[in-house]
Amino acid sequence: MDEIRRRLAVLEPTRFELIDDSALHAGHAGARSGGGHYRLTIASAAFSGKNTVARHRLIYDALGEMMRREIHALAIQANLPEEQ
């Protein structure tokens, strides 16, 4: 979780909440391969003028290869600071 937080710092979030739901998915194929299940709530001015897909893409880009290895599932709520 620290690495996720570190990588997403590039978005300069004004709100950041990351919850590890991996234990709820024990036995799931992704959990067996070591990938975690997370819920992310993040607010950033970097999302200004971007739709939901573009906001998620910024997050995926910041996380890079973690999305293929360490993270199996990521539920995202991405807002502007005023939408917090």
Side-chain angles (χ1 to χ4, degrees):
M1 288 184 49
D2 289 338
E3 182 64 11
I4 294 171
R5 181 180 303 278
R6 188 188 70 72
R7 289 182 183 223
L8 293 178
V10 69
L11 299 176
E12 299 179 359
T14 57
R15 179 177 181 201
F16 187 93
E17 182 180 351
L18 183 64
I19 298 170
D20 186 347
D21 283 337
S22 299
L24 302 175
H25 300 274
H28 180 273
R32 285 194 299 270
S33 66
H37 290 70
Y38 301 95
R39 280 185 287 145
L40 172 68
T41 301
I42 186 170
S44 172
F47 301 144
S48 182
K50 295 180 173 45
N51 65 23
T52 300
V53 172
R55 292 175 184 195
H56 287 207
R57 200 169 286 138
L58 281 175
I59 293 165
Y60 297 145
D61 289 347
L63 293 173
E65 76 281 351
M66 288 188 79
M67 289 302 302
R68 291 184 288 284
R69 295 186 188 108
E70 292 91 346
I71 301 171
H72 175 72
L74 181 63
I76 301 170
Q77 178 65 48
N79 299 317
L80 291 171
E82 59 269 21
E83 297 172 331
Q84 295 185 54

